[in-house]
């Protein structure tokens, strides 16, 4: 049977693959596994374990929240309902409230009909693969149910947004007074927390797409649709714009001229800022193999090392933990600042980019110019045997030829998809036409050599 847990929890069509029954059963199994592993410390004050549960505004989050709460309480876990809150906010409060378990209901940047369940261990950290596998194995097992006074209690924590926003502001040291910001909240989980945090830090904030109705999350807005933000920044003559996704764990930006500033550029800005103030551990940033070569080159010029991982913020986080690095991220806008957060945090990212602008007196365009993005072409080749991608001699020769042609001015990456029968061909070069030509040529070889 295929694994339920993907790279970021359990996701699917709400009330389709992701049903109330599954949400309840997963919550019961998670409670059992973490109890047996000694993860629960009875932090609720009652001797029972404590869980916090948050969600994004999707309408399906209401019934899924009820199912999760029912599962946890029936397993003897006390539950604090956080309401609508970003994923990093749930992670923060899992730690700050001393909870034994955190649960976030969100499908991030996915369309509204989808939803997801993400479990967080003590301290607000993601569960490792072994625990997720153990939870799956325990689904729908027979168990001794607590009764009477032993069942869990359910209450609401009304200070969730205020506590989280205050935490974010405390991570900054310089007021953002005078900086005009447009913040696209994606009709999502940060529609309250995002504007509040930036305003409390001193910025002049115009919030757009900040009126979620349960149906409009990510609909033509947020980090996957930057067009409205570009228009709003130019119209308002703002200094900068930021776009979050549905659960606000990622952030992309737009400068005062409407130019997009992606996750690689943001990572470069923060890497140099943290190096300058002595907070960049080992003078190293963690990124993925999909990071633009221009980013790697810029970090080399700045004397900053780059540790590259597989694609996925969980792999970035694993590498950061292993070597105690303080900054990592992805081109998509997932940025992890481990001094302040256990996961990517879009609002935190925006605040620290703004602080760098305030500290240096530079515009975002000037800060982002530290790196030049090389033209990057990605071609997906479907219907192939991806398992042979690393073994085919003809394909290896074609890649070697392309790499020789590019020299130090570009690179080639062939990456089998983790979920589909396809191979992704990525080529970077100093010239867009050259990148496209090499990518198309390699894609043709992949199709010919790995055809099913």
């Amino acid at each position: 049977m295929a694994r339920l847990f993907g790279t970021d929890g359990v996701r699917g069509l709400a009330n389709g693959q992701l049903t109330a029954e599954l949400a309840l059963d997963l919550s019961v199994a998670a409670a059992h596994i973490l109890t047996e592993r000694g993860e629960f410390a009875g932090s609720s004050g009652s001797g029972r374990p404590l869980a916090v549960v948050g969600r994004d505004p999707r309408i399906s989050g209401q019934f899924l929240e009820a199912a999760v709460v029912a599962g946890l309480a029936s397993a003897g876990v006390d539950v604090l309902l956080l309401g609508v809150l970003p994923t990093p906010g749930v992670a923060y409060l899992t730690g700050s409230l001393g909870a034994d378990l955190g649960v976030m209901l969100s499908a991030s940047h996915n369309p509204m009909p989808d939803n997801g369940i993400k479990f967080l261990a003590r301290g607000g950290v993601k569960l490792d693969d072994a625990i997720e596998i153990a939870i799956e194995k325990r689904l729908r097992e027979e168990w001794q149910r607590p009764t009477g006074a032993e069942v869990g209690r359910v209450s609401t924590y009304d200070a969730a947004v205020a506590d989280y926003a205050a935490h974010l502001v405390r991570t900054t040291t310089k007021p953002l007074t005078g900086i005009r910001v447009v913040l696209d909240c994606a009709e999502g989980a940060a529609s309250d927390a995002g504007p509040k945090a930036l305003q409390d830090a001193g910025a002049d904030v115009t919030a757009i797409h900040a009126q979620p109705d349960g149906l409009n999350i990510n609909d033509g807005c947020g980090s996957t649709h930057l067009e409205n933000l570009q228009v709003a920044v130019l119209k308002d003559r703002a200094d900068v714009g930021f776009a979050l996704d549905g659960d606000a764990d990622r952030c992309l930006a737009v400068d005062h001229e409407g130019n997009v500033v992606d996750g690689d550029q943001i990572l470069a800005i923060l890497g140099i800022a943290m190096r300058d103030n002595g907070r960049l551990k080992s003078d190293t940033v963690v990124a993925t193999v999909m990071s633009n070569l221009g980013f790697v080159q810029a970090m080399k010029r700045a004397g900053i090392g780059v540790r590259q991982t597989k694609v996925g913020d969980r792999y970035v986080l694993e590498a950061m933990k292993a070597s105690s690095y303080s900054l990592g991220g992805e081109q998509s806008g997932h940025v992890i600042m481990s001094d302040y957060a256990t996961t990517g945090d879009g609002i935190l990212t925006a605040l620290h980019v703004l602080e760098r602008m305030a500290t240096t007196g530079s515009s975002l365009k000037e800060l982002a110019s530290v790196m030049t993005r090389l033209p990057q072409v990605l071609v997906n080749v479907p219907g192939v045997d991806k398992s042979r991608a690393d073994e085919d001699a003809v394909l290896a020769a074609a890649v070697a030829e392309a790499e020789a042609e590019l020299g130090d001015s570009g690179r080639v990456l062939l990456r089998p998809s983790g979920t589909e029968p396809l191979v992704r061909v990525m080529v970077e070069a100093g010239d867009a036409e050259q990148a496209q030509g090499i990518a198309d040529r390699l894609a043709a070889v992949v199709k010919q050599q790995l055809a099913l």
Side-chain angles (χ1 to χ4, degrees):
M1 185 179 77
R3 279 198 62 188
L4 283 173
F5 284 91
T7 57
D8 205 18
V10 178
R11 287 190 192 177
L13 179 64
N15 225 23
Q17 300 99 333
L18 184 55
T19 63
E21 293 88 345
L22 178 58
L24 189 150
D25 291 339
L26 280 168
S27 300
V28 169
H32 290 166
I33 290 296
L34 294 176
T35 299
E36 292 172 4
R37 290 174 178 254
E39 295 289 332
F40 283 151
S43 55
S44 67
S46 65
R48 291 181 295 273
L50 174 67
V52 295
V53 179
R55 63 181 180 87
D56 71 24
R58 295 167 211 260
I59 53 171
S60 59
Q62 296 175 353
F63 80 78
L64 289 171
E65 177 187 68
V68 166
V69 171
L72 293 172
S74 72
V77 178
D78 288 347
V79 180
L80 278 180
L81 294 174
L82 304 180
V84 173
L85 196 69
T87 292
V90 175
Y92 167 71
L93 288 171
T94 300
S96 69
L97 295 174
D100 303 290
L101 177 68
V103 186
M104 178 65 188
L105 299 166
S106 176
S108 188
H109 57 282
N110 285 26
M112 181 275 295
D114 290 347
N115 215 321
I117 302 176
K118 183 187 302 184
F119 294 105
L120 301 166
R122 286 183 62 81
V125 299
K126 292 184 178 182
L127 302 185
D128 61 36
D129 288 344
I131 295 179
E132 290 180 345
I133 291 170
I135 289 172
E136 288 190 27
K137 288 181 177 178
R138 298 288 291 275
L139 281 176
R140 303 179 185 91
E141 68 174 356
E142 290 295 323
W143 56 292
Q144 186 67 41
R145 300 167 185 268
T147 57
E150 300 304 312
V151 301
R153 314 296 198 268
V154 181
S155 55
T156 300
Y157 188 71
D158 294 325
V161 169
D163 283 3
Y164 171 52
H167 154 69
L168 293 171
V169 175
R170 285 194 299 269
T171 70
T172 63
T173 58
K174 187 172 183 62
L176 306 181
T177 308
I179 302 180
R180 299 183 63 184
V181 183
V182 178
L183 182 66
D184 184 343
C185 299
E187 308 290 6
S191 294
D192 290 332
K196 178 173 175 55
L198 268 59
Q199 287 167 352
D200 289 352
D204 179 1
V205 182
T206 298
I208 63 173
H209 301 296
Q211 296 180 315
D213 60 10
L215 302 174
N216 57 3
I217 188 170
N218 299 320
D219 187 8
C221 57
S223 62
T224 54
H225 300 277
L226 296 174
E227 302 85 5
N228 289 341
L229 178 61
Q230 291 172 297
V231 170
V233 166
L234 294 174
K235 179 181 178 182
D236 289 2
R237 297 184 179 178
D239 298 301
V240 61
F242 295 100
L244 309 173
D245 64 341
D247 69 337
D249 65 353
R250 68 171 69 182
C251 170
L252 294 178
V254 170
D255 69 22
H256 70 285
E257 293 181 357
N259 303 305
V260 173
V261 176
D262 69 11
D264 286 339
Q265 293 167 294
I266 290 171
L267 204 58
I269 292 168
L270 294 180
I272 292 173
M274 291 174 66
R275 181 208 59 192
D276 288 352
N277 62 29
R279 299 193 69 93
L280 187 65
K281 303 288 177 60
S282 303
D283 282 345
T284 298
V285 175
V286 180
T288 76
V289 293
M290 289 298 290
S291 290
N292 193 277
L293 181 59
F295 166 76
V296 178
Q297 293 172 339
M299 293 298 92
K300 184 177 181 180
R301 289 193 298 271
I304 295 173
V306 178
R307 165 77 184 277
Q308 290 185 286
T309 72
K310 294 192 292 185
V311 175
D313 66 314
R314 72 180 302 158
Y315 301 113
V316 172
L317 188 56
E318 286 173 4
M320 292 177 66
K321 285 182 179 178
S323 300
S324 299
Y325 295 132
S326 52
L327 179 66
E330 296 185 281
Q331 194 178 69
S332 61
H334 277 114
V335 174
I336 303 167
M337 305 179 73
S338 63
D339 287 344
Y340 313 115
T342 61
T343 186
D345 189 326
I347 307 171
L348 179 70
T349 299
L351 279 170
H352 283 263
V353 170
L354 289 168
E355 185 176 41
R356 183 62 171 173
M357 292 172 62
T359 300
T360 62
S362 301
S363 69
L364 180 59
K365 182 179 179 180
E366 291 169 331
L367 293 175
S369 67
V370 69
M371 69 162 279
T372 301
R373 282 185 295 187
L374 271 66
Q376 189 178 74
V377 173
L378 180 66
V379 178
N380 291 329
V381 187
V384 295
D385 182 0
K386 62 184 181 183
S387 66
R388 295 192 288 116
D390 295 329
E391 304 171 358
D392 188 86
V394 174
L395 180 56
V399 170
E401 181 183 347
E403 289 176 335
E405 178 182 339
L406 290 167
D408 294 334
S409 64
R411 66 175 179 135
V412 174
L413 177 66
L414 263 63
R415 187 168 67 89
S417 169
T419 57
E420 302 172 81
L422 60 81
V423 171
R424 306 187 196 281
V425 178
M426 191 274 284
V427 177
E428 289 174 336
D431 177 78
E433 186 175 341
Q434 182 187 28
Q436 187 69 60
I438 293 175
D440 290 340
R441 190 171 77 219
L442 288 176
V445 178
V446 169
K447 187 173 183 179
Q448 177 182 338
Q449 294 300 120
L450 305 184
L452 290 172

